[in-house]
Amino acid sequence: MPEGDTLFRTAAVLREVLAGRQVTEARGRPDGAALDKVAGSTVETVEARGKHHLFRFRSGRVLHSHLRMGGVWRAYAADGDGEQEADEREP
């Protein structure tokens, strides 16, 4: 289960990777959030609040994420070459 230090480190990496960038595609669970609504939006910042991540967009939208017991965010290179879990990268 992700704990506080992991969540803050993950948010720092996600902020580094996403802040100022436009979302071109977003995927989640089939029964999850309507992520198509954030496609085309620009990420302003990513914050850790307790065990939650908040992705704030310039449009004013906020995407809430909770990793539950074993969730993870992954960062992929734009060219599709490799993947790395966000909490494995140095912020």
Side-chain angles (χ1 to χ4, degrees), residues 3-72:
E3 294 296 334
D5 59 331
T6 300
L7 292 161
F8 282 101
R9 198 169 50 246
T10 300
V13 171
L14 289 167
R15 189 170 38 254
E16 175 190 333
V17 171
L18 298 175
R21 295 187 134 172
Q22 187 178 53
V23 176
T24 57
E25 181 182 355
R27 291 187 305 258
R29 294 188 331 261
D31 62 338
L35 295 177
D36 58 318
K37 293 182 178 182
V38 299
S41 299
T42 300
V43 177
E44 188 73 30
T45 191
V46 180
E47 305 170 28
R49 294 282 186 232
K51 293 199 174 209
H52 308 265
H53 287 114
L54 300 175
F55 295 75
R56 297 189 183 276
F57 297 90
R58 288 191 182 146
S59 66
R61 287 191 184 276
V62 178
L63 175 66
H64 167 254
S65 168
H66 190 286
L67 297 179
R68 299 188 182 237
M69 293 295 285
V72 65

